[in-house]
Amino acid sequence: MMRADALVLFGATGDLARKKLFPALYHLAAARRLGVPVVAVAVSNWDDTRLRAYATEAVEAAKVEVDGTALKELADSLAMVSGDYRDPATFAVLARRLSETGAVRPVHYLAIPPALFPVVVQGLARTGLGCGARVVVEKPFGRDLASARELNRVLYEAFPERSIFRIDHYLGKEPVENLLVFRFANSLLEPVWNRRYVASVQVTMAESFGVEGRGSFYDGVGAIRDVIQNHLLQVVALLAMEPPVDAEPDSLRDEKVKVLKAMRPADPARLVRGQYGGYRDELGVAPGSAVETFAALRLEIDSWRWAGVPFFVRAGKGLPATALEAVVQLHAPPRLLFSPDGCQPRPNFLRFRLGPDDGVTPGEPPGRAPGGLRAGVRRPPAGLPAAAGRRLGGQPGPLRPPGRRRARLAGHPAAPRPARPGP
């Protein structure tokens, strides 16, 4: 497949572009790997100058050491197309801007709300901009199975399968990729990586902030569609999969598919949903919204390796800490040699930190070693309230959101909104 000669960025004024895409394009420019014009498309009534200032601010806010030459290269490569995605004139202007650059093999990156995916793809097809091009579709891919199939149908009308890239940007995080390295480059782990030694697996994405101005987007998605059914299920698959035959994408996908096929359908009785206090007051959120900002569920994988081992998955906003991690807890030892009589043995665990402070931390049971040295336990920082733990069939550590961020836990719909936030 030939290298693309332009990047078309739909949704260029949005949150994903500001936080992830413009900094990523800067890194490509700094590594001298960009080398193509970037045409931004958005509803915002911006010109090239405003776009370049926005991209510059996004890169500088990413807390990276900025190379002025590379940043200027990125800014100079940017061009703006403003217009409604439903208006054919928008795509006519886009076609003209691409023609001016001489591009014939563009990549169309859809960093837009999922409801607009079909609108944009059909607009590209009508103007012939899908011919020889590729398309990148961000998560979430549809709201359910029926909408995902319909989106596939629309994509196939404009692009062949080899030109369609359904991506989850989360998989590009180096700490997530390192899960594969840690598992399959270390023979030490393989003998204990199974139901005989592992008691449970906990995957957590806790965020101390709210929707941060993305209320209208988030209220149409919720925590489950936003991060659990993509980001966190991918982490579960990486932790549970068998060794692939090689490192090619198809081989990795095949092993992850086996995990998902072995996974039981999620049990609604083992699901907890909630909202942080004040969510319905956020800009763009419906006054009576029942969309969850917190969700936790228990999954079971009926494979020879993992049968009987619960996988706890949880994610939420407005929580007391920000933590992105996977904790693999081993079975407790039958007794401890260096503990007082009656002390209950506590299990070891491995914590995979998947955020900026990435790394692997082993945890040990408490006890006093000869010579007065003490080994301590570092418990997972973000657990669940006791009621939620009982509902999931486990007892992860406590989670007590402070003040107005206190979560309202519920089953299927969200709990009624209290008259006022807690103290």
Side-chain angles (χ1 to χ4, degrees):
M1 184 176 287
M2 298 182 67
R3 190 177 191 270
D5 55 9
L7 172 64
V8 180
L9 182 54
F10 287 89
T13 61
D15 187 70
L16 179 60
R18 177 175 59 87
K19 289 185 175 180
K20 302 292 184 182
L21 302 183
F22 284 124
L25 290 173
Y26 163 77
H27 285 298
L28 285 175
R32 301 183 182 278
R33 296 179 58 190
L34 183 57
V36 297
V38 179
V39 181
V41 187
V43 176
S44 303
N45 187 22
W46 289 9
D47 58 13
D48 292 356
T49 301
R50 176 74 184 276
L51 172 68
R52 291 166 181 169
Y54 182 77
T56 299
E57 293 168 2
V59 172
E60 292 173 343
K63 298 180 181 179
V64 298
E65 187 175 339
V66 177
D67 180 328
T69 302
L71 185 56
K72 184 176 185 304
E73 178 189 342
L74 171 60
D76 290 346
S77 72
L78 297 173
M80 185 71 200
V81 173
S82 296
D84 191 323
Y85 299 134
R86 293 179 172 83
D87 186 352
T90 301
F91 293 90
V93 175
L94 173 59
R96 187 176 69 251
R97 296 299 300 255
L98 285 173
S99 177
E100 291 170 356
T101 68
V104 294
R105 295 183 304 277
V107 171
H108 302 289
Y109 195 114
L110 309 189
I112 53 179
L116 293 174
F117 289 165
V119 175
V120 170
V121 171
Q122 289 165 349
L124 293 171
R126 282 194 300 266
T127 51
L129 292 175
C131 183
R134 280 165 271 182
V135 63
V136 179
V137 185
E138 264 282 359
K139 64 86 184 171
F141 194 86
R143 289 184 56 83
D144 50 25
L145 180 59
S147 60
R149 286 174 171 167
E150 174 61 17
L151 179 53
N152 254 347
R153 184 192 65 78
V154 172
L155 286 167
Y156 287 146
E157 289 180 350
F159 299 92
E161 174 61 34
R162 69 179 181 277
S163 298
I164 301 171
F165 296 83
R166 306 167 188 84
I167 71 162
D168 182 348
H169 62 265
Y170 188 76
L171 295 181
K173 291 172 64 73
E174 189 171 342
V176 175
E177 294 178 340
N178 283 344
L179 286 175
L180 286 174
V181 177
F182 191 83
R183 280 202 58 196
F184 301 126
N186 292 284
S187 59
L188 176 68
L189 281 182
E190 180 57 27
V192 300
W193 209 256
N194 55 61
R195 59 190 173 89
R196 183 175 180 182
Y197 295 96
V198 176
S200 68
V201 178
Q202 302 178 30
V203 180
T204 301
M205 179 184 283
E207 296 172 324
S208 60
F209 47 86
V211 296
E212 295 191 322
R214 299 169 65 231
S216 57
F217 164 78
Y218 197 90
D219 207 45
V221 179
I224 294 175
R225 289 188 175 97
D226 188 37
V227 296
I228 289 182
Q229 60 92 22
N230 36 64
H231 294 347
L232 301 191
L233 276 188
Q234 290 281 0
V235 173
V236 169
L238 291 173
L239 291 169
M241 65 188 278
E242 297 297 324
V245 296
D246 54 44
E248 293 300 312
D250 286 352
S251 300
L252 296 174
R253 179 200 61 196
D254 290 346
E255 295 304 328
K256 288 194 283 188
V257 167
K258 290 177 184 178
V259 172
L260 298 176
K261 285 185 175 180
M263 192 178 291
R264 298 181 196 171
D267 182 357
R270 297 292 175 88
L271 168 67
V272 177
R273 299 170 64 238
Q275 283 182 358
Y276 65 77
Y279 169 71
R280 296 174 188 171
D281 299 325
E282 299 276 12
L283 183 66
V285 174
S289 174
V291 170
E292 76 284 347
T293 65
F294 173 91
L297 67 157
R298 172 174 173 157
L299 301 173
E300 302 279 351
I301 301 173
D302 289 331
S303 67
W304 190 266
R305 183 185 291 263
W306 296 113
V309 177
F311 283 72
F312 298 101
V313 179
R314 54 208 173 182
K317 292 183 177 295
L319 299 179
T322 294
L324 182 54
E325 64 181 27
V327 176
V328 178
Q329 182 169 295
L330 305 179
H331 287 296
R335 62 186 293 265
L336 294 178
L337 297 179
F338 307 107
S339 295
D341 292 340
C343 178
Q344 178 66 33
R346 300 172 75 177
N348 290 303
F349 61 82
L350 282 173
R351 174 185 288 117
F352 297 87
R353 300 192 308 275
L354 305 177
D357 61 337
D358 61 299
V360 182
T361 305
E364 330 173 28
R368 186 173 294 278
L373 298 177
R374 180 176 296 277
V377 174
R378 293 175 60 191
R379 295 181 66 97
L384 289 174
R390 288 193 295 272
R391 186 178 182 91
L392 296 176
Q395 289 293 341
L399 173 65
R400 300 186 182 281
R404 67 182 294 270
R405 296 298 191 192
R406 182 162 296 153
R408 294 193 296 272
L409 298 176
H412 283 293
R417 185 183 181 191
R420 57 185 178 87

